[in-house]
Amino acid sequence: RGTYRSLAAAAIQGMELSAGDTFLPGSSLSHIGGSLFGLSTLAAGGRLVIARDSTAPEILPLLQRYRPTVLF
């Protein structure tokens, strides 16, 4: 528990995440990067946008609508 909390705190600080950020992961949330950065964005007060799949017809409208500031 403390280790993941430390990782999230480091991600928030290192990526300078804030409440104004929107994160759109390009990987599954089962991947450590997707889950760590996604949860870190939420912990910083930001917004997490989750695509149903990684196809262009799914991703492009999300990029246009939510204008993510963080991508992974």
Side-chain angles (χ1 to χ4, degrees):
R1 188 167 68 172
T3 302
Y4 200 85
R5 185 181 314 151
S6 297
L7 287 171
I12 291 168
Q13 182 179 9
M15 296 175 66
E16 299 179 356
L17 296 173
S18 69
D21 282 313
T22 300
F23 176 57
L24 175 61
S27 68
S28 167
L29 290 179
S30 66
H31 183 279
I32 185 66
S35 64
L36 175 62
F37 299 143
L39 292 175
S40 296
T41 302
L42 292 175
R47 177 172 41 182
L48 175 61
V49 178
I50 301 173
R52 291 186 183 120
D53 59 54
S54 60
T55 62
E58 174 69 19
I59 298 291
L60 185 58
L62 296 175
L63 289 169
Q64 293 170 331
R65 180 174 180 186
Y66 295 103
R67 304 273 185 203
T69 56
V70 182
L71 298 169
F72 172 79

